[in-house]
Amino acid sequence: MIAPARRAAYEVVRRVFEEDAYADRALESAVSTLDARDRALAQRLAYGTVQRARTLDFGIEQLGKRPVRKLDAPVKAALRLGAYQLAFTDQAEHAVVDDAVELVRAARLERAVPFTNAVMRRLAHGLNGLVASLPEGPVKLSYPDWIAETWTRDFGAETALALMRAQNEPPALEVRADEPVGYPTDVPGAYQVDTVDISRMRPMSRASQLAALVVGSQDGERVLDACAAPGGKTSILRGEVTAVEVHPGRAQALAANVRPNVHVVNVDVRELDESGFQRALVDAPCSGLGVLARRPDLRWRARPLPELQRELLAASAERTDPGGTIVYSVCTLNADENEAVVDASGLEVLPLDGEWPQYAHPTRPEFLLTMPHRDRTSGFFIARLRKP
């Protein structure tokens, strides 16, 4: 009998790589009938397998002597899941091997059972040594080459490796709360906790909270939140807030949970028929290279969006009064989406390093850049700009 947590994890891995499903959504349905212990184990196995797919595929190809791309999808998922458990957990080898074989059998691929069994046994004997022998880099740490190359270009080889290692580790559990909970941080209202009580706190990294605090909005001001959902930053903003969200479902969910000072508009900010804002927050869509630890599948689907970001920033600036301020933030670590977008905007930069020196950008200190390996939080780029 296949262990319930492994069966659920297997389902998630298949949906992510075969259907392009988001890992968190696939997990939610896969574990709906499991108890808390099995849910936690299924999440660990599924997320770990998705995150480490490149390393696992390398091992499967080297020891299985067959390209992963040529394997039947159920076989590929079973081998990946089994390989992850062998290399990155302390689960019993015989149980891992047996379940991988049974998963393939349950998929009615009896002809592939001997192959799966043989490869799993080779992995059990050789995968750990093979992974340990790999040079530090994107294959061993399981990243697409382009991410490793981007970080090496922007920060140097040593920091690139540190970022890759840091975002393979579970992130700190950070929240926003109106009253003290857990352990305080250097960001007002941000705390680190062991468990989340949703009635008292909102899961949100302190880097994300910092982006909203930098806006500095005050009561009586008109404030534009240009890309508002899911609404964490919106909840921090003061003043009369117009929260813009282009996706209808996300806009509806946002409207159901905002404070009285917030008005939600379901529109693309580039088409918003409002202006006269004193402040704006543009928390733009991005490649998400600063939140890879929280989203195991994102490294395989991420793509830079500098053109869209420039357009959203320009649209928000057009709707802001002369002398007003615009905060541009993105949860990515990529100069093409960060400082290059700001440099192209024509807006005046208002330096932030005097207010938050611990988060100053390493080469452009007028900006903020939180770094997962250094700051133990999400990676965010934050710039405060003024419209002439």
Side-chain angles (χ1 to χ4, degrees):
M1 179 178 177
I2 303 166
R6 290 195 187 105
R7 187 184 294 276
Y10 173 75
E11 180 183 328
V12 174
V13 172
R14 289 199 63 180
R15 288 197 59 203
V16 168
F17 290 112
E18 295 172 43
E19 303 173 18
D20 200 29
Y22 291 100
D24 57 343
R25 298 176 189 175
L27 180 75
E28 186 177 352
S29 61
V31 303
S32 60
T33 62
L34 302 185
D35 61 28
R37 182 177 178 181
D38 278 340
R39 282 200 301 269
L41 178 57
Q43 178 174 334
R44 179 189 175 196
L45 298 182
Y47 282 15
T49 302
V50 172
Q51 182 187 73
R52 297 281 188 169
R54 185 174 185 185
T55 311
L56 304 175
D57 286 358
F58 177 82
I60 292 166
E61 291 191 345
Q62 291 295 305
L63 298 173
K65 308 298 183 183
R66 191 176 298 181
V68 167
R69 70 179 184 279
K70 293 187 176 181
L71 299 177
D72 291 319
V75 176
K76 186 188 306 184
L79 289 176
R80 282 172 166 170
L81 178 60
Y84 174 75
Q85 293 172 87
L86 293 171
F88 298 103
T89 77
D90 58 1
Q91 299 201 3
E93 286 185 4
H94 67 88
V96 171
V97 172
D98 289 349
D99 273 4
V101 170
E102 290 307 313
L103 286 167
V104 171
R105 181 172 281 124
R108 299 182 179 180
L109 287 174
E110 192 68 36
R111 59 178 171 74
V113 165
F115 171 78
T116 304
N117 184 57
V119 175
M120 283 301 302
R121 293 187 182 282
R122 289 179 210 154
L123 290 168
H125 288 98
L127 182 59
N128 285 332
L130 181 63
V131 172
S133 70
L134 286 169
E136 291 294 307
V139 176
K140 184 172 186 174
L141 297 171
S142 193
Y143 285 82
D145 286 339
W146 78 267
I147 294 180
E149 291 164 0
T150 296
W151 286 346
T152 300
R153 178 200 68 188
D154 292 350
F155 308 113
E158 184 176 340
T159 298
L161 288 173
L163 285 169
M164 285 191 277
R165 294 188 194 103
Q167 296 210 80
N168 279 345
E169 298 299 322
L173 192 52
E174 296 179 314
V175 299
R176 180 87 184 161
D178 294 329
E179 58 185 36
V181 294
Y183 315 97
T185 71
D186 57 356
V187 174
Y191 301 88
Q192 186 172 326
V193 297
D194 298 320
T195 58
V196 174
D197 178 354
I198 206 69
S199 67
R200 301 175 59 208
M201 58 193 77
R202 181 180 189 130
M204 189 178 183
S205 76
R206 71 181 191 277
S208 181
Q209 297 178 47
L210 182 62
L213 292 173
V214 165
V215 176
S217 56
Q218 301 297 320
D219 294 339
E221 294 179 329
R222 293 193 67 224
V223 181
L224 171 63
D225 188 353
C227 309
K233 298 178 187 66
T234 312
S235 68
I236 299 174
L237 300 175
R238 295 169 60 183
E240 181 187 336
V241 179
T242 296
V244 175
E245 173 53 43
V246 67
H247 188 280
R250 286 161 62 91
Q252 184 177 12
L254 177 63
N257 292 286
V258 294
R259 295 179 177 178
N261 67 312
V262 178
H263 171 59
V264 177
V265 181
N266 177 205
V267 70
D268 188 312
V269 72
R270 293 170 290 187
E271 300 173 359
L272 178 67
D273 189 21
E274 287 187 52
S275 59
F277 296 98
Q278 284 84 54
R279 298 181 191 268
L281 170 62
V282 185
D283 185 46
C286 66
S287 58
L289 303 190
V291 293
L292 298 181
R294 300 178 186 277
R295 297 180 56 188
D297 51 313
L298 182 57
R299 65 188 66 193
W300 310 123
R301 67 170 81 242
R303 61 188 182 96
L305 300 169
E307 183 176 342
L308 173 62
Q309 292 152 358
R310 288 193 295 268
E311 291 178 4
L312 295 173
L313 180 55
S316 300
E318 287 173 7
R319 289 157 176 79
T320 303
D321 287 340
T325 58
I326 303 103
V327 168
Y328 173 74
S329 70
V330 276
C331 58
T332 196
L333 304 166
N334 179 357
D336 297 334
E337 299 177 274
N338 295 356
E339 49 264 42
V341 170
V342 173
D343 290 343
S345 71
L347 299 169
E348 178 189 355
V349 176
L350 301 178
L352 286 165
D353 55 319
E355 299 175 39
W356 297 94
Q358 68 272 45
Y359 298 128
H361 191 294
T363 59
R364 298 284 299 274
E366 65 271 31
F367 305 132
L368 303 184
L369 189 70
T370 58
M371 304 285 278
H373 72 292
R374 180 193 68 190
D375 304 316
R376 307 304 175 194
T377 191
S378 299
F380 261 79
F381 173 86
I382 305 170
R384 183 192 286 154
L385 312 167
R386 180 158 55 204
K387 181 177 179 178

